[in-house]
């Protein structure tokens, strides 16, 4: 059901090679290292400055201090530090000034402020680089895992359809191969049959819709002969064989209880895949093991509505659907060979279907269905 | 025969141009370093100026010239620092201009080199065909 024309799938690896991303990441890491070194240096300045402030603050506490005066490289002489409140401060650029201890502390604290602001800006830079580096590394790992980028045009007409397929696609992306699919051949066959049934049902509904629109009050031929409908199906299949675009089929026969669609309708296209493989098989019998949740719900609604007359058919299907397979959309073969039937549903039905298709577990359709039926 | 001659000429041309490009790049790197130095000096001078502005009128200011501290008038020191800042700012501007100029030259060189490389490739492709 996923028409390839609708979206593009690009492996991330083809956009950014893993190696390149790693290189970029390591380059940025290097830069971060350099900045870190710079920051450590500044931090050291800050510490030294704090120590100096402490010292200068203590100096004027006493009139003189007894100290060891360095004399040359090796020798120390005992000495005495006087004028404890006088400092000769280097302002920078070889300018010095005589200052009191208090004034010196002011100068030093001003210096501390400038260094702190430098550290702050450096930190911001490092943060920037780190986000960059993490981006590169994630890109690299994504490329290595073979993640794919899926782009799809948004089409309002098929909004709901897109929604459901989008949810399904996301689950598909998690596969390491990044490509949807992976159904077994057995599943495929079953899917085919199911899809045929479903497409026929949808077709019937579409016919109802059609006739409802025409305001045509044709009879209540709910259980019209299977053969005639099969013909229609075949005809559609012939038309749309090998095509991928949506085909609107407008069959004339088999109106089914259009009277029940009296409430306002919301039109939504549901595209069903009609596989080529067993065109002549009787569709109401045998081997319907898989089901598309969405259409199944549609069918349910339909069958509920026409429960009086159509009980037999719906019960058949109920019995024959032990496994639910909500992802027939990913069968590439079908997407190519199937014909597509479009139909309109009433709003309630559709919401049901939508919900079911995105939420439903693939394993227990029958119980679900039965619960609904009761 | 002539094509091989042309090829050789182009090779030589390419080499020359590559050398020039390398020279430009070296110059640009030097310029960057110089700029960095000046920026640091500018910052230091601005700090000094701030401190000098904060000093009271009668404060003693010295300048270290060689091994001796020379006493300076505060006003004089202030003027000197201002002048120095002006000079550094002008120098930075000049460096910016030359840097821009060099980068332009570098880019044009790079394009020229690309052209020569393309020519060489075309000749080689022609040879391969022949």
């Amino acid at each position: 059901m996923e028409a390839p024309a609708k979206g593009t799938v690009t492996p991330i690896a083809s956009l950014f090679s893993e190696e390149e991303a790693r290189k970029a990441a390591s380059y940025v890491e290097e830069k971060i290292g350099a900045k870190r070194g710079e920051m450590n240096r500044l931090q050291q300045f800050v510490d030294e400055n704090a120590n100096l402030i402490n010292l200068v603050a203590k100096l004027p506490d006493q009139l003189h201090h007894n100290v060891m005066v360095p004399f040359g490289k090796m020798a120390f002489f005992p000495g005495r530090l006087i004028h404890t409140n006088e400092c000769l401060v280097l302002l920078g650029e070889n300018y010095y000034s005589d200052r009191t201890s208090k004034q010196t502390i002011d100068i030093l604290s001003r210096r501390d402020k400038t260094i702190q602001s430098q550290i702050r800006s450096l930190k911001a830079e490092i943060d920037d680089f780190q986000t960059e580096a993490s981006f590169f590394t994630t890109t690299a790992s994504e490329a290595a895992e073979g993640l794919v980028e899926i782009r799809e045009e948004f089409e309002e007409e098929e909004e709901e359809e897109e929604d459901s397929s989008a949810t399904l696609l996301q689950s598909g992306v998690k596969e390491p191969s990044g490509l949807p699919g992976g159904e077994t051949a057995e599943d495929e066959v079953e899917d085919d049959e199911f899809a045929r049934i479903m497409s026929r049902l949808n077709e019937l509904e579409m016919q109802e819709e059609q006739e409802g629109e025409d305001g045509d009050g044709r009879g209540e031929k709910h259980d019209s002969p299977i053969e005639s409908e099969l013909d229609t199906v075949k005809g559609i299949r012939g038309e749309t064989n090998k095509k991928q675009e949506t085909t609107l089929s407008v069959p004339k026969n088999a109106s089914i209880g259009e009277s029940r669609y009296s409430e306002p309708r919301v039109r939504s296209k549901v595209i069903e895949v009609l596989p080529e493989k067993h065109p002549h098989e009787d569709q109401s019998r045998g081997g319907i093991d898989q089901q598309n949740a969405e259409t199944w719900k549609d069918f349910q609604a339909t069958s509920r509505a026409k429960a009086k007359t159509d009980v037999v058919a719906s019960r058949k299907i109920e019995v024959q659907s032990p496994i639910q397979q909500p992802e027939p959309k990913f069968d590439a073969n079908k997407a190519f060979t199937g014909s597509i039937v479009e139909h309109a549903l009433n709003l309630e039905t559709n919401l049901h279907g939508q919900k079911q298709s995105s939420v439903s577990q693939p394993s227990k359709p029958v119980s679900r269905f039965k619960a609904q039926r009761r | 025969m002539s094509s091989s001659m042309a090829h050789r000429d182009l090779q030589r041309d390419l080499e020359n141009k590559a050398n020039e490009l390398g020279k430009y790049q070296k110059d640009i790197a030097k310029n960057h370093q110089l700029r960095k130095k000046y920026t640091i000096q500018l910052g230091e001078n601005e700090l000094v100026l701030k401190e000098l502005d904060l000093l009271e009128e009668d404060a003693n200011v010295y300048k270290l010239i060689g091994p001796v501290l020379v006493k300076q008038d505060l006003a004089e020191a202030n003027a000197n620092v201002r002048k120095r800042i002006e000079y550094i700012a002008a120098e930075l501007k000049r460096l910016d201009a030359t840097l821009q100029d060099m980068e332009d030259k570098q880019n044009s060189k790079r394009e020229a080199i690309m052209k020569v490389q393309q020519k060489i490739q075309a000749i080689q492709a022609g040879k391969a065909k022949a």
Side-chain angles (χ1 to χ4, degrees):
Chain A
M1 200 172 288
E2 185 57 29
K6 253 196 247 166
T8 56
V9 176
T10 335
I12 284 180
S14 76
L15 294 179
F16 321 94
S17 87
E18 186 196 345
E19 201 183 325
E20 291 287 315
R22 292 229 181 280
K23 234 188 254 171
S26 65
Y27 174 71
V28 175
E29 291 286 353
E30 233 169 71
K31 270 195 166 174
I32 290 175
K35 294 276 174 197
R36 282 249 166 83
E38 182 103 339
M39 201 164 91
N40 283 341
R41 209 168 53 92
L42 285 178
Q43 195 60 50
Q44 216 174 314
F45 285 167
V46 170
D47 295 345
E48 269 178 31
N49 208 9
N51 284 341
L52 191 57
I53 287 175
N54 267 337
L55 178 70
V56 174
K58 266 189 226 155
L59 276 181
D61 289 352
Q62 288 171 26
L63 209 57
H64 61 83
H65 297 266
N66 289 321
V67 291
M68 295 298 282
V69 183
F71 197 83
K73 268 189 182 172
M74 305 291 280
F76 285 88
F77 282 103
R80 188 190 253 197
L81 199 62
I82 54 169
H83 299 297
T84 52
N85 200 24
E86 287 170 38
C87 301
L88 188 68
V89 182
L90 172 66
L91 301 176
E93 280 292 295
N94 288 340
Y95 282 99
Y96 290 81
S97 175
D98 278 331
R99 307 268 68 199
T100 66
S101 285
K102 201 163 177 294
Q103 288 164 330
T104 307
I105 289 171
D106 286 346
I107 290 174
L108 290 178
S109 51
R110 276 196 290 277
R111 258 178 221 173
D112 185 61
K113 256 184 215 159
T114 26
I115 298 175
Q116 293 286 7
S117 77
Q118 277 176 22
I119 285 180
R120 261 200 300 280
S121 63
L122 213 60
K123 252 183 199 157
E125 266 180 71
I126 287 177
D127 280 352
D128 270 7
F129 278 125
Q130 255 164 355
T131 47
E132 219 173 292
S134 71
F135 169 74
F136 281 131
T137 45
T138 50
T139 307
S141 61
E142 276 170 4
E145 281 166 16
L147 221 67
V148 295
E149 182 184 355
I150 299 175
R151 284 190 193 191
E152 230 173 75
E153 296 285 319
F154 177 76
E155 292 168 51
E156 203 164 341
E157 259 187 75
E158 306 187 14
E159 185 181 346
E160 302 192 45
E161 185 58 33
E162 297 280 54
D163 281 350
S164 68
S165 61
T167 48
L168 289 168
L169 271 179
Q170 279 168 3
S171 66
V173 168
K174 279 164 193 158
E175 294 172 18
S177 68
L179 292 171
E183 287 173 40
T184 63
E186 202 185 351
D187 284 347
E188 262 175 50
V189 174
E190 288 166 344
D191 267 2
D192 288 352
E193 279 165 356
F194 169 71
R196 255 200 325 283
I197 294 275
M198 276 314 159
S199 64
R200 204 198 60 156
L201 289 168
N202 287 329
E203 188 192 322
L204 291 179
E205 282 186 2
M206 195 195 55
Q207 288 161 7
E208 295 160 25
E209 168 65 21
Q210 191 72 27
E211 278 166 14
E213 269 182 355
D214 294 343
D216 187 0
R218 273 202 228 174
E220 317 282 74
K221 292 158 68 183
H222 313 303
D223 41 1
S224 59
I226 285 157
E227 287 78 30
S228 69
E229 286 168 19
L230 188 59
D231 285 345
T232 321
V233 172
K234 268 193 281 175
I236 294 159
R237 196 181 297 125
E239 276 170 35
T240 59
N241 192 9
K242 309 285 183 200
K243 281 187 197 169
Q244 287 163 11
E245 69 257 33
T246 310
T247 307
L248 184 66
S249 73
V250 189
K252 291 274 152 55
N253 62 344
S255 75
I256 305 176
E258 66 277 2
S259 53
R260 69 173 183 271
Y261 284 123
S262 51
E263 64 272 351
R265 244 162 289 164
V266 170
R267 242 173 184 276
S268 79
K269 287 180 188 168
V270 172
I271 304 171
E272 287 302 322
V273 175
L274 205 59
E276 277 293 275
K277 287 177 185 168
H278 318 284
H280 294 286
E281 203 173 306
D282 191 336
Q283 302 184 4
S284 68
R285 114 168 85 84
I288 312 160
D289 288 337
Q290 314 296 327
Q291 58 185 333
N292 178 323
E294 196 176 330
T295 43
W296 179 242
K297 285 308 236 172
D298 298 345
F299 170 71
Q300 249 182 290
T302 317
S303 62
R304 228 182 295 147
K306 57 181 175 181
K308 276 175 274 171
T309 47
D310 220 13
V311 187
V312 185
S314 60
R315 199 178 285 157
K316 258 184 203 163
I317 289 169
E318 178 191 341
V319 172
Q320 287 158 352
S321 53
I323 308 164
Q324 191 173 25
Q325 182 66 304
E327 295 187 356
K329 296 168 185 183
F330 288 116
D331 192 330
N333 285 339
K334 263 184 278 167
F336 280 95
T337 59
S339 86
I340 290 161
V341 179
E342 163 202 318
H343 71 135
L345 309 160
N346 90 22
L347 177 58
E348 191 208 1
T349 314
N350 215 339
L351 284 175
H352 261 282
Q354 201 61 39
K355 230 168 151 187
Q356 168 100 351
S357 71
S358 53
V359 178
S360 68
Q361 312 292 334
S363 53
K364 293 178 180 170
V366 180
S367 58
R368 234 174 213 280
F369 174 66
K370 276 178 179 166
Q372 295 255 340
R373 290 278 300 163
R374 259 172 239 142
Chain B
M1 210 48 206
S2 67
S3 83
S4 78
M5 280 291 284
H7 185 232
R8 204 169 298 155
D9 277 356
L10 282 175
Q11 275 302 17
R12 202 169 297 140
D13 199 18
L14 182 68
E15 245 167 63
N16 286 341
K17 285 201 162 92
N19 283 343
E20 280 175 56
L21 181 68
K23 224 165 66 193
Y24 281 132
Q25 278 170 339
K26 227 181 251 171
D27 281 352
I28 286 175
K30 232 187 247 168
N31 193 316
H32 268 297
Q33 258 175 351
L34 211 60
R35 245 181 74 97
K36 212 172 167 186
K37 215 175 88 190
Y38 273 120
T39 324
I40 291 171
Q41 279 197 4
L42 185 68
E44 191 176 334
N45 272 286
E46 270 165 0
L47 268 177
V48 172
L49 188 64
K50 248 190 238 163
E51 294 299 335
L52 286 179
D53 280 342
L54 286 167
L55 293 182
E56 51 274 12
E57 287 295 310
D58 57 345
N60 292 328
V61 179
Y62 308 90
K63 184 157 172 71
L64 184 71
I65 300 175
V68 280
L69 277 175
V70 180
K71 193 168 183 209
Q72 277 196 320
D73 199 42
L74 178 62
E76 201 187 323
N78 216 324
N80 279 345
V81 173
R82 267 177 220 283
K83 241 184 215 158
R84 178 114 183 101
I85 286 175
E86 261 171 46
Y87 167 72
I88 292 172
E91 197 70 358
L92 275 177
K93 227 178 198 174
R94 195 179 63 81
L95 283 179
D96 271 349
T98 51
L99 186 69
Q100 186 71 40
D101 191 37
M102 277 197 274
E103 265 171 4
D104 284 351
K105 271 187 194 165
Q106 185 196 29
N107 285 342
S108 64
K109 248 316 138 217
R110 210 171 260 163
E111 269 169 37
I113 285 178
M114 292 271 276
K115 266 180 201 159
V116 173
Q117 274 176 337
Q118 275 169 359
K119 265 186 204 163
I120 289 175
Q121 273 173 359
I123 287 175
Q124 276 172 343
K127 261 187 195 167
K129 257 183 206 168

